[in-house]
Amino acid sequence: MTLQQLKYVIEIVNSGSINEAAKRLFITQPSLSSAVKELEAELGVELFLRSARGISLTAEGVEFLGYARQVVEQTSLLEQRYLNRKPSRQLCSISTQHYAFAVNAFVNMIKKSGADEYEFTLRETRTYEIIEDVRTMRSELGILYKNPFNAKVIDKLLRENHLDFHPLFTANPHIFISAQNPLAAREYVTLEDLEEFPYLSFEQGEYNSFYFSEEILSTVFHKKSIHVSDRATLFNLLIGLNGYTISTGVVSADLNGENIIPVRLLADDQIQVGWIANHQLQLSKQASAYLAELRFVITEYGQELQE
């Protein structure tokens, strides 16, 4: 087992395929495949599952990846300290539901990384795809919420995929609306107050289940309903159509300006936001740095951390 083989495994996971990893490593695909097979033969375990859908880590592969990342990171630190070598390229991938505070933390993490070279990825995506990204190690971390309605389904899916949910904070439900919306001056609103306003939600594609909705109270009927795929479009429609969406109440003026405001929604429900990761995997330095920034941003917005 060599350091180069460890780097090969890490790059395959980061790239999502052997072909793409070979391009990034400037070697041929057969050479990379051969190196991985030699490593698997030496270890006596299968690290990757290969199928028509692509490549993914086995349970043993996930555990191996955690150790490999630690070794490569520590080697890089030794080289920087004693050989005056250039710091290695920083890597980090995060998948998240559409939360402004997740973006804030990502910005802070990059600014503080101090890396001359880096390749960071932030995916604002659908709930099921967040879980799938973390399961396949396309992302180290996922950010999503649970509540009494979806908890059993989400917990079962996480358990089946060897993922753990770590709570960050619990919020009372709010609506996001335009500062010009007729309800903007209200201290709180009810579902009855919202009946005539367009309801905006994030579409979930193939896995369009109530349990995967990014918004609580997903089974409530709405006279006017619009599904969108990205946060910028949703905010534009909040302003242009006097629509509303349901979320945590944590909104970033830095990123979204003063045009979007939260108003408390009176509903018998709560939103528990947390992060997910494989329970066998030790987080990389950059993923840990991202979590630190995420906790900082959350407390800045007045939320009490649960960890």
Side-chain angles (χ1 to χ4, degrees):
M1 179 168 51
T2 67
L3 183 64
Q4 190 62 61
Q5 287 173 315
L6 302 187
K7 292 179 178 179
Y8 284 170
V9 171
I10 293 170
E11 188 57 55
I12 290 170
V13 173
N14 290 336
S15 301
S17 75
I18 290 181
N19 285 335
E20 183 60 30
K23 291 177 184 177
R24 295 186 183 188
L25 292 164
F26 302 103
I27 61 175
T28 65
Q29 185 270 332
S31 295
L32 181 56
S33 294
S34 177
V36 172
K37 287 178 181 177
E38 288 176 7
L39 177 61
E40 289 178 319
E42 180 183 352
L43 297 174
V45 298
E46 191 176 30
L47 300 176
F48 292 101
L49 291 174
R50 299 155 178 91
S51 68
R53 294 179 59 189
I55 192 166
S56 61
L57 286 168
T58 63
E60 292 85 357
V62 170
E63 183 177 10
F64 180 83
L65 179 66
Y67 288 116
R69 280 180 167 156
Q70 292 178 60
V71 171
V72 170
E73 284 185 358
Q74 292 301 315
T75 302
S76 177
L77 290 173
L78 283 170
E79 290 175 343
Q80 293 171 45
R81 175 65 178 84
Y82 294 105
L83 301 178
N84 294 318
R85 291 193 179 176
K86 181 180 178 182
S88 60
R89 186 177 180 85
Q90 296 294 309
L91 301 168
C92 185
S93 294
I94 309 294
S95 292
T96 178
Q97 291 178 328
H98 297 77
Y99 296 128
F101 56 80
V103 180
N104 278 133
F106 197 74
V107 170
N108 292 349
M109 182 267 289
I110 292 176
K111 286 181 176 179
K112 295 179 181 179
S113 70
D116 292 329
E117 296 183 10
Y118 56 73
E119 184 175 342
F120 297 139
T121 304
L122 180 66
R123 301 183 183 93
E124 284 194 328
T125 188
R126 298 160 177 165
T127 303
Y128 186 88
E129 290 168 4
I130 293 169
I131 297 171
E132 190 69 5
D133 282 351
V134 179
R135 181 189 72 82
T136 61
M137 291 305 302
R138 188 180 185 213
S139 291
E140 270 195 81
L141 298 177
I143 312 296
L144 48 75
Y145 88 91
K146 295 195 305 181
N147 74 331
F149 176 73
N150 72 4
K152 286 186 178 180
V153 172
I154 297 295
D155 285 341
K156 181 176 183 292
L157 193 56
L158 295 180
R159 188 168 55 251
E160 290 173 348
N161 289 290
H162 310 291
L163 306 178
D164 292 330
F165 179 87
H166 305 268
L168 286 167
F169 69 96
T170 298
N172 292 314
H174 287 69
I175 60 168
F176 287 160
I177 56 175
S178 162
Q180 307 306 315
N181 189 291
L183 300 175
R186 300 277 291 271
E187 181 180 352
Y188 60 83
V189 296
T190 65
L191 289 174
E192 289 74 20
D193 295 327
L194 299 168
E195 285 182 353
E196 298 303 320
F197 294 89
Y199 169 68
L200 302 171
S201 63
F202 290 106
E203 59 95 16
Q204 296 297 318
E206 179 182 354
Y207 297 94
N208 191 27
S209 162
F210 289 131
Y211 297 107
F212 293 137
S213 172
E214 286 195 41
E215 301 80 22
I216 63 169
L217 306 173
S218 57
T219 59
V220 172
F221 172 76
H222 302 278
K223 290 169 58 177
K224 305 171 183 178
S225 184
I226 302 171
H227 305 286
V228 301
S229 59
D230 68 271
R231 191 158 43 88
T233 299
L234 183 140
F235 282 172
N236 286 336
L237 293 175
L238 291 186
I239 296 171
L241 295 176
N242 268 340
Y244 74 95
T245 192
I246 301 175
S247 191
T248 62
V250 181
V251 64
S252 170
D254 293 339
L255 293 179
N256 305 310
E258 304 291 340
N259 292 324
I260 304 297
I261 63 170
V263 176
R264 174 74 184 275
L265 172 64
L266 292 186
D268 186 21
D269 208 340
Q270 286 191 314
I271 304 167
Q272 184 182 53
V273 177
W275 59 277
I276 62 172
N278 190 290
H279 68 256
Q280 292 181 303
L281 188 64
Q282 180 169 330
L283 296 179
S284 68
K285 176 183 175 182
Q286 283 306 131
S288 296
Y290 175 75
L291 280 179
E293 294 302 327
L294 190 61
R295 295 183 181 103
F296 174 76
V297 168
I298 288 167
T299 55
E300 263 199 327
Y301 284 110
Q303 298 293 332
E304 183 177 347
L305 290 174
Q306 289 184 253
E307 290 188 300

